[in-house]
Amino acid sequence: MAPSSDLRLVRQRLAAARNITVLTGAGISADSGVPTFRGADGLWRQHRAEDLATPDAFARDPKLVWEWYNWRRELIATKQPNAAHRAIVELERRAPAFWLATQNVDGLHRDAGSQKLSEIHGNIWKVRCTGCQAVSENRDVPISILPFCPHCGALLRPHIVWFGESLFAADLQQCSTVLKSCDLLLVIGTSGVVYPAAGFASVAKEAGAYVVEINLDPTPQSSLVDVSLQGRAKDLVPLLLDPT
Ligand code: OAD
């Protein structure tokens, strides 16, 4: 558990901050029962995310990739936001300026009530046509394999940013703006190895923000942040809002 002096310090910084940015990764949803990517339960049928979440994998075997997403859809559909997701909604309500960038595609931040957010890796409940590029919501569980576009008949893909693809331009722009203008960045539950999100802490730090990391374990970013709190997101994030 994080030392109480660190917790006190972060609480004070957070209460005084006028402009807060939060970056989250799979660790925050681990407390809701969604497996992380690089944890012990991160493999699916012996495949790593990096082998399936790519345009090449989809071109080679779209059925396999959709089966993986169907497995994730079935799992996520049963999960609820936890105390850490809810505490972030409360932070959004309290802070004069606030933005949340999440790498998670599970939609749990939205379910909790977050409104000022960018889902920088997309959303598992959205599909995009590989032909006409139309994006639509699709909450089918399971989704039919293979799904086709009702407008043009081309194959649908998950509306997710895969390895080798760029973030959506609007999200990149928004993240760049909030990282450079925030006075406090909270980085929660991400291994800090997938770019560009892995570089967010150093961008904010260079722009003068106070940077706090919350993770079960040390990460490549731990040495550059101001405070690294070790523990579960669902325990630590609500504690940071506690006035006592
Ligand atoms: P990872 O699976 O790489 O890392 C999860 C992080 O959460 C690790 O550092 C864990 O130590 C930490 N963690 C686990 N349980 C926690 C808990 N209860 N409280 C706090 N921390 C906890 O997930 P991401 O960093 O999100 O991309 O991965 C980044 C991207 O790589 C994902 O968005 C995904 C993946 O492949 C795509 O699918 C495109």
Side-chain angles (χ1 to χ4, degrees), residues 25-27 30-31 36-38 49 103 121 161 163 189-191 194 215-217 231-233:
D31 284 334
T36 62
F37 294 96
R38 291 168 187 82
Q103 297 168 89
H121 289 173
V161 178
F163 290 98
T190 176
S191 56
V194 176
N215 201 301
L216 270 184
D217 299 314
R232 291 192 173 280

Side-chain angles (χ1 to χ4, degrees), residues 22-195:
V22 179
L23 168 67
T24 62
I28 193 167
S29 293
D31 284 334
S32 293
V34 181
T36 62
F37 294 96
R38 291 168 187 82
D41 51 1
L43 293 183
W44 174 76
R45 295 190 200 162
Q46 306 311 314
H47 297 285
R48 299 176 312 144
E50 289 90 332
D51 301 331
L52 297 170
T54 74
D56 283 353
F58 191 68
R60 205 170 37 244
D61 194 346
K63 193 163 166 281
L64 179 72
V65 173
W66 264 121
E67 278 172 353
W68 179 52
Y69 279 107
N70 237 347
W71 173 77
R72 290 188 65 80
R73 278 175 168 240
E74 283 174 11
L75 198 142
I76 289 165
T78 65
K79 307 304 180 204
Q80 306 295 328
N82 62 59
H85 293 101
R86 290 192 292 275
I88 291 172
V89 178
E90 179 58 19
L91 259 187
E92 173 179 334
R93 199 185 64 75
R94 288 187 194 178
F98 177 91
W99 199 259
L100 164 64
T102 184
Q103 297 168 89
N104 299 343
V105 301
D106 54 35
L108 291 182
H109 283 296
R110 277 185 199 282
D111 292 348
S114 285
Q115 293 181 358
K116 295 179 183 170
L117 82 165
S118 306
E119 293 174 315
I120 63 172
H121 289 173
N123 186 300
I124 199 163
W125 302 115
K126 289 182 182 168
V127 294
R128 184 166 84 240
C129 177
T130 57
C132 68
Q133 306 299 319
V135 175
S136 56
E137 187 170 307
N138 180 310
R139 292 204 164 249
D140 295 351
V141 178
I143 195 167
S144 74
I145 290 182
L146 297 162
F148 290 98
C149 177
H151 309 296
C152 75
L155 184 61
L156 294 173
R157 60 165 278 179
H159 186 50
I160 285 178
V161 178
W162 284 332
F163 290 98
E165 296 181 322
S166 300
L167 298 199
F168 304 117
D171 290 339
L172 260 182
Q173 180 57 51
Q174 174 68 9
C175 289
S176 166
T177 302
V178 296
L179 289 168
K180 288 176 185 156
S181 60
C182 67
D183 37 52
L184 190 145
L185 171 69
L186 261 184
V187 180
I188 306 169
T190 176
S191 56
V193 296
V194 176
Y195 282 83

